[in-house]
Amino acid sequence: VQLQASGGGLVQAGGRLRLSCAASGSTRSIINFMDWYRQTPGKARELVASIKSGGSTDYADSVKGRFTISRNDAKTTVYLQMNELKPEDTAVYSCYGSVWTPSEGSQYYWGQGTLVTVSS
């Protein structure tokens, strides 16, 4: 099983992007919970948003009101909608979560990072 993150890119300040993190590699998978982290060189990794198995969400204060984490009904993909982007949102964003598959049960996985660059 892999978590594949996508959707990063270059955007102007005030713009928006939507990141996706999809579970793949199994005929059937369910994302139990997922976190989005971001990291810039020289800084500690920051937890940006979380979605729990029941659907509840949490956000870092720095992104509250601008970012929204959600998932599809099949619980195979989690999204991070990022609006009103600021230059300080520039970072590599990575997803981390628990994925259930029939063969492996619930395991924890990191997705590869996707770079978000916000120009001023």
Side-chain angles (χ1 to χ4, degrees):
V1 174
Q2 293 180 327
L3 290 178
Q4 296 184 321
S6 61
L10 173 63
V11 64
Q12 289 187 330
R16 59 178 60 181
L17 284 173
R18 189 176 80 158
L19 307 183
S20 299
C21 186
S24 65
S26 175
T27 55
R28 184 180 172 205
S29 60
I30 297 174
I31 296 174
N32 296 318
F33 76 85
M34 184 161 288
D35 300 329
W36 280 100
Y37 287 87
R38 66 184 180 187
Q39 189 166 24
T40 55
K43 291 187 177 181
R45 186 164 54 202
E46 177 187 16
L47 177 59
V48 175
S50 301
I51 186 164
K52 306 297 191 293
S53 59
S56 62
T57 58
D58 290 303
Y59 299 93
D61 288 343
S62 57
V63 306
K64 276 182 183 175
R66 300 189 296 122
F67 290 12
T68 303
I69 189 170
S70 63
R71 64 188 177 195
N72 64 350
D73 290 342
K75 298 183 182 179
T76 57
T77 303
V78 171
Y79 306 99
L80 185 66
Q81 178 67 47
M82 306 186 295
N83 299 331
E84 301 175 34
L85 283 162
K86 304 176 181 179
E88 51 264 43
D89 295 319
T90 295
V92 174
Y93 286 72
S94 301
C95 52
Y96 171 76
S98 170
V99 181
W100 177 90
T101 60
S103 59
E104 301 292 332
S106 292
Q107 301 290 334
Y108 295 89
Y109 301 92
W110 277 100
Q112 87 285 5
T114 184
L115 177 61
V116 172
T117 304
V118 184
S119 62
S120 58

